């Protein structure tokens, strides 16, 4: 759906224009803390917007803030932390909208999360996530993913 790379040079030109006295917010292709830092340092933006990088990774905001505030030290969230964040995202969406629409909004993000790539045979679990229709059903799937991820990580550390 999206092709090419965002041209940040134009954003930098607008920011350097002495006649412009409003905050300049950059957008496009920010997918990591180091890219956010580059936007601030190289192009002088006052803020950045994060779009597609949030799909399945709502913790990217914490990673960026920590990276910028802690002198390039990346945040090391555990799998448990990340699943906690995904579960909180689900809870918030259900509370703010309603169960049906909150789940519709959330489950595509969950199914896209890169943390689940370590689960053997995840395809069926992903399909179950995309078909889940209740909060409890989706929470059960997430808890099963947590258990499988922890088991896989333990096995990998032992081997």
């Amino acid at each position: 759906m999206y092709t090419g790379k965002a041209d940040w040079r134009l954003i930098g030109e607008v920011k350097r224009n002495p006649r412009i006295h409003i905050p300049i917010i950059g957008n496009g292709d920010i997918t990591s803390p180091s890219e956010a830092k580059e936007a601030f340092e190289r192009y002088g933006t006052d803020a950045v917007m994060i779009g597609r990088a949030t799909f399945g990774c709502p913790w990217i905001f914490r990673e960026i803030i920590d990276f910028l505030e802690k002198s390039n030290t990346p945040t090391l969230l555990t799998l448990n932390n990340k699943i906690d964040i995904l579960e909180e995202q689900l809870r918030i969406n259900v509370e703010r909208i309603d169960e049906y629409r909150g789940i519709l909004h959330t489950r595509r993000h969950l199914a896209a999360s890169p943390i689940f790539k370590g689960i053997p045979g995840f395809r069926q679990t992903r399909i179950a996530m995309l078909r889940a229709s209740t909060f409890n059903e989706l929470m059960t799937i997430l808890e099963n993913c947590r258990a499988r991820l922890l088991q896989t990580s333990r096995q990998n550390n032992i081997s």
Side-chain angles (χ1 to χ4, degrees), residues 63-116:
E63 290 176 339
I64 290 171
I65 290 167
D66 286 353
F67 189 81
L68 295 173
E69 291 178 352
K70 295 179 181 174
S71 303
N72 303 331
T73 303
T75 300
L76 298 175
L77 292 174
T78 66
L79 290 173
N80 266 331
N81 295 141
K82 290 178 179 181
I83 291 175
D84 287 345
I85 292 168
L86 292 172
E87 288 176 348
E88 183 64 16
Q89 180 184 28
L90 173 61
R91 266 189 226 88
I92 289 169
N93 285 335
V94 167
E95 287 170 8
R96 288 189 178 164
I97 308 171
D98 59 51
E99 185 175 42
Y100 177 75
R101 290 180 302 161
I103 287 169
L104 284 179
H105 180 74
T106 306
R107 65 186 182 188
R108 64 178 176 210
H109 293 271
L110 297 175
S113 184
I115 67 169
F116 300 125

Side-chain angles (χ1 to χ4, degrees), residues 42-54:
R42 185 171 179 191
Y43 302 103
T45 61
D46 297 293
V48 295
M49 286 192 282
I50 312 296
R52 286 173 286 151
T54 65

Side-chain angles (χ1 to χ4, degrees), residues 106-145:
T106 306
R107 65 186 182 188
R108 64 178 176 210
H109 293 271
L110 297 175
S113 184
I115 67 169
F116 300 125
K117 289 183 181 176
I119 297 177
F122 179 69
R123 185 173 187 273
Q124 291 305 316
T125 304
R126 184 178 183 279
I127 291 168
M129 280 182 179
L130 292 170
R131 290 184 177 160
S133 59
T134 68
F135 175 83
N136 289 336
E137 181 182 4
L138 204 42
M139 287 296 282
T140 298
I141 292 169
L142 282 171
E143 285 306 314
N144 289 336
C145 285

Side-chain angles (χ1 to χ4, degrees), residues 28-56:
D29 300 322
I30 301 289
T31 60
S32 71
S34 59
E35 289 169 342
K37 182 177 181 179
E38 180 182 8
F40 288 115
E41 291 179 352
R42 185 171 179 191
Y43 302 103
T45 61
D46 297 293
V48 295
M49 286 192 282
I50 312 296
R52 286 173 286 151
T54 65
F55 269 67

